[in-house]
Amino acid sequence: MTIERKIREHLHEEAQTMECPPAISKRIEQSYSHYLQRKRSEITMKKRLIGGLVAAAILIPTAAFASPVVIDMLTRAPITSEQVKLDEAGKATLEKLYRAIPETKSFEIIEASYLGDPNDSTKKVQLSIVLQEKGGTGKKITLHTNGITDEIQDLTQENWEPKEKALITLSDQEIKGKVDQLIDKLYGNIKDYEVAMEQMDNPNQKTFILNYTKKGSEGFEGGGYQVFVQGNSISLSPVAPEPNTGVEGYFSLNGKPDYTADSFLNDEKLFALLKMSPKELKEELAKGKTVVEIAASKNISKQQVIDVIARTQAEGQLQDGKNKVTISDELLKQMMKEIEPKVVHVIEHKTETEWK
């Protein structure tokens, strides 16, 4: 057994015993609930986006499959508030926040960290900053921003409403108004978007999802914003326009398209390796074959398939539009190894079977 395999198996064993941090659990719950809600309401939406969310959510119950989370744990490094203020992305993020919500100028940075190359703090994939009101009512803002482009990737605003009349107790119209105002302050042009607001099936806590899509676009084809409103918080994430490549619903379940693995299998390098078009791959999977079996019929090993998909997935986490963070080969390989179990989960899956 190679040392890499020993390390990986050890990490998986450790991962099984990890308790998922509440913030991560919340995001997973949100993603999966989003998927379920979409399936129920059958609102038009880019299925690739659903697939990406579900791929993270469905495979997450076993901690060993939670590669992005594990990667995040392995490579996130804390930084001080002074370092944030000296960092180019940090400065730009704070300026945007202060300009959009001036009262946050008086907030203190209570936590900050970056995701990137632990050996080189200049290579940041993502910068995270948590600000809290001094004293007062506990207003808090959590920001995740791109380490290169300083674009705010998501923001969570907490406790902006008084406890005795928390956000979730307001009328639908009032909640929508609060979210509209936040988006307009941060990104502007709210009039260019239309919103679909729904309450999710969450018996434990009332939760709303608001999808802002560009007027005239199908789903998130033209980009938009996803927003979750829960308790006394608003979680806002911009959604980048999705290129229309590949096909959707590679697998099926109970006779209906299953989009879970689309974000893994719509990989141009995989198509090149298999010498197949996306449509041909979908047709072969519909016969009950796995990707591994299809590859084997072409004398392509399972590990070759894993390496191609894992690299694409790992590099995708370093990419934001045209910008890309360059990290060491060692760290990239580490990320690929962490993603590998999730890739195996997908390429050994057969259509019309439940995900294990």
Side-chain angles (χ1 to χ4, degrees), residues 208-224:
F208 287 100
I209 179 172
L210 294 88
N211 285 315
Y212 288 78
T213 54
K214 205 79 176 281
K215 291 178 179 175
S217 295
E218 180 185 345
F220 287 111
E221 202 170 54

Side-chain angles (χ1 to χ4, degrees), residues 279-294:
K279 184 180 178 182
E280 289 170 334
L281 176 58
K282 183 176 178 177
E283 289 172 350
E284 288 300 300
L285 292 172
K287 297 175 182 176
K289 299 177 182 176
T290 67
V291 175
V292 173
E293 290 170 344
I294 295 169

Side-chain angles (χ1 to χ4, degrees), residues 35-58:
Y35 164 72
L36 292 177
Q37 186 66 16
R38 277 292 175 192
K39 294 291 286 182
R40 183 180 63 78
S41 61
E42 296 184 349
I43 290 176
T44 303
M45 182 180 177
K46 272 294 175 190
K47 305 302 188 301
R48 287 189 301 280
L49 178 61
I50 296 176
L53 295 174
V54 163
I58 278 186

